[in-house]
Amino acid sequence: MNDRFPPSRPGRRSVLAMLALTPVAGALAGCATGGSRQSPAAAPTGSAQAGNPFGVASDAPLEVVVFDGGYGQEYIKVPLDLYRKKHAAAKITQSATQQIQQSLQPRFVAGNPPDVVNNSGSNAIDYGALVGDKALLSLAPLLTAPSWSDPAVTVGDTLRPGVVQVGTHDGQFVVLNYSYGAYGAWYSTSLFEEKGWTYPQTWDDYLGLCDKMATAGIAPWTYPGQFPYYMFWWLASLIYKAAGPEVIDKINNLAPDAWTDDRAVAALRAFEAIPANGWVLKGSSGLNHTDAQMQFLNGKAGFVPGGSWLENEMGDSVPKGFDMAICRAPSIGKDDVKPFGSLCAKAGEPYVIPRSAANTAGGLEFLRAMLSTEGAENFIAKAGTLSSNRDAKPPKDAKHGLTSIDAALKEAGDNVFGITVDTRDSRLWKDIANLMGRFMNGDIKADQLAKQAQSLTDKARG
Amino acid sequence: MRKTHQRRVIIGFLAAPVLLYTVFVASPYVQAFYIALTDWRGLSAEIGLIGLGNFTELFGDPVFWQALRNNLLLLVTLPIVTIGVGLFLAFMLNAAGGPRSGEIRGVRGAKFYRVVYFFPYVLSIAIIGVLWKNIYNPINGLLNGALRAVGLEEVQPSWLGDERLAFWAVLAVLVWNGIGFYVVLFTAGIKAIPASLLEAAVLDGASRTQVFFRITIPLIWENIRTAAVYLGIAALDAFAVVQIMTGGGPNDSTQVGSFYLYQNAFSYGRFGYASAMGVVLFVVTLALSAFTLRATRKERIEF
């Protein structure tokens, strides 16, 4: 502390200083207490019957809040129309925001949340908190209800693998993830064609290819150092390929000996060659995701981590004739548990129904409308990513990357896995991602990454 | 009779502000102390008391200590650098030009510089953060571009991506942002020094350095202390710049108390833990203020 602080007129300034410094302490509390808990209002229901499986009162108002993010909010119009056609008397309100947490948290506390919430984006309400406070309605009835498009099958039958699993917290299916995407890394098929490269199936070939890239003046890898969690899915893909689903389950469930499993460490050690050989684009550690993706699109880097959204996110920045495809994890060793073609794929874009919402039946009915083939295909066309509805097909003029994911998913079959650490414990997710950033930077080696990730996991498990 | 009337008026005027203050400032403080003892996650109105658990966890939380260390480092470096540079610039602008036609003036073009220095202060902090984030961009940024232009292709630091550099890069932005205001503040101080004093010193053969250290600084000591208070406040906060430029990263190397608190409350949904952090920061601030109050009593120079 320096000794030149105040004052000849003691008091006023320093008091002001103190007050100016401490409002954070008070600001948090402002919204906390004072509202008494309201018991969930009895939802108005009509009687359940064919065509109205949840017994929606057709004049009950419905409020839907959509996350206004990468997928926009255009896609919600079709399910809204479907719902409106069936329940013409209902007053439907739909709004969109990027500040889900900021705008809806007070309404959760006050006990009057919207009926359907697209709890997504970096300002989503923490799922640990939602689940811990039992704030979410179980969506189990949705799974057994007849599908909107084909009443002969249930909604559950139309879902892609892993959708229910990813949306299950504490044994209850409470989150419907509407999009379905592949995660990992991208490469450019057009660049590969131009250079006469083929996508490698073994790790030795992969390193050979990286060497060729480096010789050609292209950095094999770049990554967004400002958001190192982008590396999570690709590194997990290598672990899944080598060590299989048990280890991924351990990672997701914050189990002991997850990261430190021998085969997992071997997979990380294999990738260590990339930073160790200087095959990461210089300066990557200071880039954000769009910067890194631009380097990839400009042919400065061969691989970039990311998921289904990348092609759409970059939009017009994708140069003409630049085609991209999702990477599959090459074989690390001879006895890899999973075959080439296995993929990190997961349902995303979460929708929830607050337990204390006024029209929970209407909420379920709306989700059913969203999962109709019509609604889902409209989503694919508008959002440029696949849907959790397995029957919904991409449009004929779909972009190259989307087509590559569709094909990769078909080939992967059941060999898909998801990472759920992010929704389970957002803090742990960020802390492990920080380690991955240091790993890409060359600050730590694979062994340290595994050890420290495990110790963070152990601490988070408590 | 008159007295009661007076009292009535005073109470009437005071009641509303006091009420507002109690509701919107004082009561949240009190609540924060209570919430710090709970595991409240910010969603339900039901709150579970967990005693001092949050505080025990806090004292074992390496990120929190890192954040506090960074705040303290800012508290030392930010005032010293900003005041140092600010004083130097103010002196150059106002008194370093030497007497011309019998008047003490600044260097040539002082008026122009004064406006230029003030520019950053006019910009909103959000713009400054985004602007500098781009300047620091290791591949497309202005800074590394300039390094390349002068032939330093090999020196291309990843400013905000390097754990060793990021903190100093953020500090530089805070200094850049604040300097204009302090130049103006010190200018006002220097202008208030009677010209005869400076002229007498120059006539007696004092060099510029001597004038600066022996005359200028002692006579604007009040302004310098004021500046130190403001900068101390800025150093213990630093939320906006950190949030926009680094998000506390890389690897928490630019983490500060206010931002870590915000992360815990609004990203991790741990309002109880965040409140505990608020309480600790409150105590730390209080202690620092009390300490400085005692340590800096100094008599005033009259002129």
Side-chain angles (χ1 to χ4, degrees), chain B residues 166-180:
Chain B
F167 176 83
W168 304 106
V170 169
L171 175 68
V173 174
L174 287 171
V175 170
W176 181 83
N177 174 32
I179 207 97

Side-chain angles (χ1 to χ4, degrees), chain B residues 85-285:
Chain B
V85 179
L87 267 179
F88 173 74
L89 293 178
F91 182 69
M92 294 306 274
L93 291 186
N94 294 293
R100 281 199 300 274
S101 58
E103 202 187 331
I104 300 283
R105 292 174 172 208
V107 293
R108 228 169 269 280
K111 276 189 182 154
F112 171 73
Y113 290 125
R114 203 172 297 148
V115 174
V116 170
Y117 293 153
F118 201 69
F119 268 152
Y121 199 75
V122 177
L123 297 178
S124 112
I125 194 79
I127 295 175
I128 287 175
V130 174
L131 189 72
W132 276 90
K133 211 170 142 175
N134 284 310
I135 293 176
Y136 281 134
N137 184 311
I139 293 178
N140 306 318
L142 195 65
L143 207 49
N144 280 2
L147 287 175
R148 275 195 297 274
V150 298
L152 291 169
E153 281 91 1
E154 291 310 305
V155 188
Q156 297 281 296
S158 178
W159 298 101
L160 296 176
D162 188 324
E163 288 170 38
R164 286 154 304 182
L165 289 178
F167 176 83
W168 304 106
V170 169
L171 175 68
V173 174
L174 287 171
V175 170
W176 181 83
N177 174 32
I179 207 97
F181 175 78
Y182 296 100
V183 168
V184 170
L185 184 71
F186 297 146
T187 297
I190 292 173
K191 291 269 191 212
I193 300 173
S196 55
L197 270 177
L198 293 171
E199 278 163 16
V202 175
L203 282 178
D204 286 346
S207 69
R208 279 183 195 179
T209 326
Q210 280 172 322
V211 171
F212 179 70
F213 282 107
R214 300 274 175 91
I215 312 279
T216 314
I217 289 198
L219 289 184
I220 61 166
W221 193 240
E222 284 300 310
N223 302 54
I224 295 176
R225 282 202 284 189
T226 308
V229 175
Y230 284 137
L231 287 164
I233 294 171
L236 286 180
D237 175 12
F239 175 86
V241 166
V242 165
Q243 211 249 5
I244 295 166
M245 286 180 55
T246 66
N251 201 32
D252 291 317
S253 61
T254 59
Q255 190 63 272
V256 289
S258 55
F259 184 67
Y260 189 50
L261 187 156
Y262 171 88
Q263 271 188 321
N264 270 288
F266 298 103
S267 304
Y268 309 146
R270 301 192 60 194
F271 283 78
Y273 192 53
S275 294
M277 222 173 279
V279 169
V280 171
L281 290 180
F282 177 79
V283 172
V284 168
T285 316

Side-chain angles (χ1 to χ4, degrees), chain A residues 160-425:
Chain A
R160 284 184 185 269
V163 174
V164 175
Q165 187 197 351
V166 166
T168 300
H169 291 267
D170 281 359
Q172 271 205 322
F173 176 53
V174 285
V175 186
L176 171 71
N177 287 285
Y178 189 50
S179 73
Y180 198 82
Y183 298 68
W186 290 90
Y187 71 101
S188 163
T189 46
S190 48
L191 178 73
F192 274 46
E193 221 165 277
E194 181 196 321
K195 303 275 182 189
W197 298 330
T198 46
Y199 189 81
Q201 303 231 347
T202 69
W203 193 250
D204 284 342
D205 290 351
Y206 191 86
L207 294 181
L209 173 69
C210 288
D211 197 33
K212 277 188 218 161
M213 285 180 172
T215 318
I218 299 167
W221 268 83
T222 185
Y223 75 103
Q226 287 179 12
F227 307 109
Y229 66 84
Y230 271 68
M231 288 307 298
F232 215 115
W233 304 294
W234 174 251
L235 293 175
S237 300
L238 296 180
I239 292 175
Y240 178 76
K241 174 82 172 65
E246 290 80 25
V247 175
I248 294 292
D249 282 350
K250 280 190 193 171
I251 289 175
N252 282 337
N253 293 318
L254 320 190
D257 195 30
W259 293 92
T260 45
D261 179 280
D262 287 341
R263 289 161 303 175
V265 177
L268 294 174
R269 231 180 255 149
F271 195 78
E272 190 182 285
I274 309 285
N277 283 326
W279 286 342
V280 179
L281 180 69
K282 233 181 146 205
S284 295
S285 59
L287 299 182
N288 67 20
H289 57 300
T290 43
D291 291 337
Q293 285 157 200
M294 271 319 290
Q295 296 299 319
F296 167 68
L297 294 179
N298 290 337
K300 296 279 193 317
F303 298 106
V304 68
S308 302
W309 61 85
L310 186 143
E311 195 175 32
N312 248 27
E313 181 175 47
M314 298 314 282
D316 293 339
S317 302
V318 181
K320 273 224 162 58
F322 187 101
D323 292 333
M324 59 184 101
I326 194 91
C327 294
R328 274 91 59 81
S331 299
I332 311 279
K334 279 208 171 57
D335 31 69
D336 276 11
V337 177
K338 284 293 177 180
F340 180 78
S342 55
L343 210 58
C344 179
K346 204 178 90 173
E349 210 47 29
Y351 276 81
V352 297
I353 301 179
R355 206 163 54 93
S356 52
N359 186 6
T360 51
L364 286 167
E365 177 79 342
F366 183 73
L367 295 186
R368 194 168 76 98
M370 284 180 73
L371 282 171
S372 65
T373 309
E374 195 184 344
E377 285 188 342
N378 166 69
F379 173 74
I380 298 175
K382 291 267 163 48
T385 192
L386 295 176
S387 155
S388 289
N389 180 338
R390 66 163 87 219
D391 302 327
K393 301 271 178 294
K396 292 264 180 309
D397 60 343
K399 289 188 194 168
H400 201 272
L402 181 59
T403 321
S404 92
I405 289 172
D406 199 35
L409 276 173
K410 273 202 193 87
E411 195 184 322
D414 284 338
N415 292 320
V416 295
F417 75 99
I419 284 290
T420 52
V421 182
D422 50 347
T423 47
R424 259 194 94 119
D425 190 331

